[in-house]
Amino acid sequence: MTLLETQNLTAHYGDFQALFGVDFTMDEGETVAVIGANGAGKSTFLRTLTGLHPSKGQTITFDGQPIAGLAGDAIHKAGLAMVPEGRRLFRSLTVEENLMIGAAGKLSGPWTLEAVYTLFPDLVAKRHNPGTALSGGQQQMVAIGRALMSNPKLLLCDEISLGLAPKIIKDIYPAVPHIRARGTSIIVVEQDVGQAMAVADRIYCFMEGRVTLTGTPHSLTREQIAHAYFGMG
Ligand code: ATP
């Protein structure tokens, strides 16, 4: 069943147009990676889906309902949760308090504190420590856990690996298939094509605000991706 669909989606910052006619569709249960260079429009696409960027009058259908133009909290209640780029924890609160904030107004579903601790065992020993005591990777785990605590139907992750060391990224990316295994659909925004290919059922490549390529990782060649990502070849 189709979980999310956009038709001819556009976005502007004043006179500047950041998205041009984006047609996007994903099924329930899928993990989709959105790839593209700096400034391709990936974050703007996520922000438009979650109501952080205006979408009034456009066509965005989520779980059978039109969501364009709704306020962010109504979209969140409909089952769409975002892990923001840069993590943004409440640094004076403990890990567990941060996670519980995500549970406010939660839908029913598989995600509980225990399920988040099973997903990220590193957090168990830190559960009563403040956000200030965490490494960058652990902060990212809390940010993902906090978004999951609302039991979203669709989790949106903006550049999970941004600013993290490769070793730490290796601790976080394996969580994606576990999240999917509990029935939560996922969109990951990722600049690292290899990482995206490894984790996604399907890929959308953006360039300069347009979708330039879509397909399964197996069906796409390096040449196609280079062309769609950088516009060369
Ligand atoms: P990155 O990987 O750098 O986050 P991105 O693919 O997510 O890139 P966006 O952040 O969506 O790209 O930016 C798309 C375009 O919109 C860029 O040209 C960017 O400069 C512009 N843009 C983004 N945010 C704003 C803003 N608040 N005001 C004006 N222009 C913006």
Side-chain angles (χ1 to χ4, degrees):
M1 193 191 127
T2 303
L3 180 63
L4 175 69
E5 184 176 21
T6 71
Q7 286 173 15
N8 198 26
L9 191 70
T10 59
H12 296 80
Y13 296 100
D15 290 340
F16 178 80
Q17 186 162 2
L19 294 179
F20 296 82
V22 172
D23 293 324
F24 179 98
T25 178
M26 71 182 284
D27 285 341
E28 230 167 70
E30 271 194 307
T31 298
V32 173
V34 173
I35 62 173
N38 267 333
K42 307 177 300 294
S43 298
T44 302
F45 177 62
L46 292 195
R47 291 167 55 80
T48 305
L49 295 178
T50 54
L52 287 170
H53 194 83
S55 61
K56 198 160 180 258
Q58 303 211 57
T59 303
I60 308 176
T61 310
F62 177 66
D63 201 24
Q65 306 293 324
I67 59 163
L70 296 183
D73 60 342
I75 292 174
H76 187 222
K77 278 201 188 99
L80 230 152
M82 170 125 144
V83 183
E85 193 179 350
R87 304 183 271 278
R88 297 204 197 96
L89 300 185
F90 294 99
R91 292 170 65 83
S92 61
L93 300 184
T94 67
V95 165
E96 197 144 306
E97 286 165 343
N98 269 288
L99 293 175
M100 290 312 294
I101 284 171
K106 72 188 222 149
L107 304 171
S108 61
W111 293 103
T112 59
L113 275 178
E114 290 321 308
V116 170
Y117 289 135
T118 304
L119 185 68
F120 295 122
D122 278 11
L123 296 182
V124 175
K126 302 269 179 187
R127 61 201 291 174
H128 301 304
N129 292 14
T132 45
L134 302 178
S135 68
Q138 289 163 343
Q139 288 177 37
Q140 184 61 281
M141 293 174 192
V142 176
I144 295 169
R146 186 176 60 183
L148 287 172
M149 286 295 286
S150 66
N151 275 303
K153 296 187 177 107
L154 176 58
L155 182 74
L156 307 178
C157 299
D158 199 354
E159 308 219 17
I160 300 183
S161 46
L162 196 77
L164 298 178
K167 183 179 159 297
I168 296 167
I169 296 167
K170 282 206 192 81
D171 289 342
I172 293 183
Y173 255 96
V176 171
H178 291 295
I179 295 170
R180 182 182 187 276
R182 286 192 186 257
T184 308
S185 308
I186 308 166
I187 297 177
V188 292
V189 161
E190 186 51 71
Q191 285 196 38
D192 180 332
V193 177
Q195 196 68 259
M197 301 282 259
V199 85
D201 300 312
R202 230 145 42 78
I203 302 227
Y204 274 81
C205 185
F206 281 47
M207 187 173 55
E208 295 174 0
R210 292 179 168 83
V211 174
T212 45
L213 186 69
T214 176
T216 62
H218 298 297
S219 69
L220 303 175
T221 64
R222 278 175 186 281
E223 289 71 25
Q224 281 177 309
I225 292 172
H227 185 67
Y229 196 105
F230 297 113
M232 45 182 221

